[in-house]
Amino acid sequence: MTQYPSILLENAVNQFASLPGIGRKTALRLVLNLLRRDNNEVNIFAQSLTNLKSQICYCKVCHNISDTQVCQICSSNRRNRQIVCVVENIQDVMSIERTAQYNGLYHVLGGIISPIDGIGPKDLELDSLVERIVPEEIQEVILALPTTVEGDTTNFYIYKRLQPFNVKVTQLARGVAVGNELEYTDDVTLGRSILNRTLFQSDN
Amino acid sequence: MTQYPSILLENAVNQFASLPGIGRKTALRLVLNLLRRDNNEVNIFAQSLTNLKSQICYCKVCHNISDTQVCQICSSNRRNRQIVCVVENIQDVMSIERTAQYNGLYHVLGGIISPIDGIGPKDLELDSLVERIVPEEIQEVILALPTTVEGDTTNFYIYKRLQPFNVKVTQLARGVAVGNELEYTDDVTLGRSILNRTLFQSDN
């Protein structure tokens, strides 16, 4: 016999174990948990996955995940339509929305330029960003990409592409994180935070 | 808007987050991984869950998970049918099978007696174990339950129930684990391993 007493069990474990960060032992634990539930509950679980995959849309304006052709943010009247924040993926949109500090629109690239992984500008939603500037009368583009080499490369690429347009290009403030001890802040961040020091504000 | 840009996404994340040990951040990561796959792959994933739940059997002899009415172990001619190993759940069957040191049959209780959790003898496959002894001419019952208070209670209960029958009742050897340093072995285990010391065998 194989390692598993049932081929049905093995199939389900294989599926869960194909997910990132889920090993075979964890997969078995998850499958056995589902097995203890009602038929109905398991069907709802499975249905939620097939529904997601078959019915999900990507907003045709900002390329964020959406239930509709144009997402809630892009179709909202309450957002500032002159500012676009450029992010790598939808998790980043969710992170920025959670801060409740931003009221503009987004543009989800779907990745960042990474020659090592074979990801070039053509694989990302970069052209569609540039094409938004004039018709949507965008005044400011905020670059909110990861502070890595790939992120910096992509930032620079976008900056170059946007130069012909009359649009302000900004980036997220970089410096010591709120709540961090200086002792444990890395040297590059600390060094730059001294060079780029700002005027003291009592609400920071 | 809610935390998620899509209700479909939120539903799928909620389902994954209902699994043990999966938080909302991990659930989102898993769902986004599925979202990047083909439609077909996601359908296979979902189908494996509904198939598992709707088609799985429990062996009517040993109560292990099975694709058939009687499991592969119980229906095998190569197994020693005079020995039954009593375990808590199907993971334990798989663990013992992996050792390749056991050739008898199993009996899966589906839990252990635990008054705190409201689990009594009637909630477990205990009667069905006792009913197997005479018709199957079982000579030995190996108690392979957890070495906890609940495990010991269940062991003692089974021992009492089997006393009227002419059957040998054994338990797993307890002692210092192979590869363990004595320094890090707990006191109870180490103390018992001295009291229950065995004759030296050169292959141990």
Side-chain angles (χ1 to χ4, degrees):
Chain A
M1 69 181 290
T2 66
Q3 194 192 342
Y4 296 93
S6 149
I7 291 163
L8 294 166
L9 181 71
E10 189 171 2
N11 286 345
V13 169
N14 284 344
Q15 290 297 329
F16 270 101
S18 73
L19 294 170
I22 307 281
R24 301 195 71 80
K25 279 212 166 175
T26 304
L28 177 63
R29 197 158 47 84
L30 300 181
V31 170
L32 291 175
N33 179 281
L34 283 177
L35 203 52
R36 277 194 292 272
R37 301 187 187 184
D38 292 343
N39 255 329
N40 194 28
E41 273 188 84
V42 174
N43 286 340
I44 290 172
F45 192 110
Q47 199 63 49
S48 76
L49 302 184
T50 46
N51 282 352
L52 173 73
K53 186 61 193 173
S54 60
Q55 293 173 26
I56 200 90
C57 300
Y58 291 87
C59 172
K60 62 183 181 180
V61 180
C62 73
H63 310 287
N64 192 9
I65 279 178
S66 172
D67 293 332
T68 45
Q69 289 257 305
V70 177
C71 76
Q72 289 173 303
I73 294 174
C74 285
S75 55
S76 167
N77 289 323
R78 299 194 188 159
R79 315 280 308 201
N80 181 345
R81 311 190 72 82
Q82 302 193 306
I83 310 181
V84 168
C85 180
V86 179
V87 294
E88 181 182 359
N89 53 42
I90 78 127
Q91 290 102 307
D92 298 338
V93 174
M94 287 166 57
S95 297
I96 293 174
E97 284 297 290
R98 269 201 303 277
T99 69
Q101 299 294 317
Y102 180 66
N103 192 36
L105 305 179
Y106 290 95
H107 191 89
V108 180
L109 293 182
I112 46 178
I113 297 171
S114 175
I116 288 178
D117 302 317
I119 301 172
K122 291 289 162 211
D123 302 313
L124 307 174
E125 294 292 348
L126 283 164
D127 289 344
S128 57
L129 170 66
V130 176
E131 286 158 13
R132 287 179 68 177
I133 305 296
V134 174
E136 296 189 35
E137 297 174 13
I138 290 160
Q139 303 297 309
E140 180 178 352
V141 170
I142 304 174
L143 301 174
L145 298 178
T147 57
T148 58
V149 175
E150 290 82 9
D152 287 340
T153 305
T154 314
N155 279 341
F156 188 71
Y157 179 90
I158 296 172
Y159 174 73
K160 280 292 188 189
R161 288 285 303 267
L162 295 181
Q163 275 208 317
F165 302 96
N166 180 27
V167 60
K168 188 160 92 176
V169 180
T170 58
Q171 67 176 3
L172 294 186
R174 297 183 181 185
V176 181
V178 178
N180 265 21
E181 302 271 3
L182 292 197
E183 187 180 347
Y184 302 116
T185 302
D186 69 284
D187 294 350
V188 177
T189 301
L190 190 56
R192 287 197 193 172
S193 74
I194 292 173
L195 291 177
N196 301 323
R197 61 196 176 278
T198 60
L199 280 174
F200 180 75
Q201 291 169 285
S202 61
D203 63 341
N204 260 0
Chain B
M1 71 182 287
T2 67
Q3 194 191 344
Y4 296 94
S6 149
I7 290 161
L8 293 166
L9 181 72
E10 188 171 3
N11 285 344
V13 169
N14 285 344
Q15 290 298 328
F16 269 101
S18 73
L19 294 170
I22 307 283
R24 301 196 70 81
K25 278 213 167 175
T26 305
L28 177 64
R29 198 158 47 85
L30 300 181
V31 170
L32 290 176
N33 179 281
L34 283 177
L35 203 53
R36 276 194 293 271
R37 301 187 187 185
D38 292 342
N39 255 327
N40 195 29
E41 273 189 84
V42 175
N43 286 338
I44 290 171
F45 192 110
Q47 199 63 49
S48 76
L49 301 184
T50 46
N51 283 352
L52 174 74
K53 186 60 192 175
S54 59
Q55 294 173 25
I56 201 87
C57 299
Y58 290 87
C59 172
K60 62 183 183 181
V61 180
C62 74
H63 310 286
N64 192 7
I65 278 178
S66 172
D67 292 332
T68 46
Q69 288 257 303
V70 176
C71 76
Q72 290 172 305
I73 295 175
C74 286
S75 55
S76 166
N77 289 324
R78 298 193 188 160
R79 314 282 306 203
N80 181 345
R81 310 191 72 81
Q82 300 192 308
I83 310 182
V84 168
C85 181
V86 179
V87 293
E88 182 182 357
N89 53 41
I90 79 127
Q91 291 101 307
D92 297 338
V93 174
M94 288 167 57
S95 298
I96 295 174
E97 284 296 291
R98 270 202 302 276
T99 69
Q101 299 294 318
Y102 180 66
N103 192 36
L105 305 180
Y106 290 94
H107 191 89
V108 181
L109 294 182
I112 47 178
I113 297 172
S114 174
I116 287 177
D117 301 317
I119 302 172
K122 292 289 162 210
D123 302 312
L124 307 174
E125 293 293 347
L126 282 163
D127 290 343
S128 57
L129 170 65
V130 176
E131 286 158 11
R132 286 178 69 176
I133 306 297
V134 172
E136 296 188 36
E137 297 175 13
I138 289 160
Q139 304 295 309
E140 181 176 352
V141 170
I142 304 174
L143 301 173
L145 298 178
T147 58
T148 59
V149 174
E150 289 81 10
D152 287 342
T153 306
T154 314
N155 280 340
F156 189 71
Y157 179 89
I158 296 172
Y159 174 74
K160 280 292 189 190
R161 289 284 303 267
L162 295 180
Q163 274 208 319
F165 303 96
N166 181 26
V167 61
K168 190 160 91 177
V169 180
T170 58
Q171 67 178 2
L172 294 187
R174 296 182 182 186
V176 182
V178 177
N180 264 22
E181 302 272 2
L182 292 197
E183 186 180 347
Y184 302 115
T185 303
D186 69 285
D187 295 350
V188 177
T189 302
L190 191 55
R192 286 196 194 172
S193 74
I194 292 172
L195 292 177
N196 301 324
R197 60 196 177 278
T198 60
L199 279 174
F200 180 75
Q201 290 168 287
S202 59
D203 62 341
N204 260 0

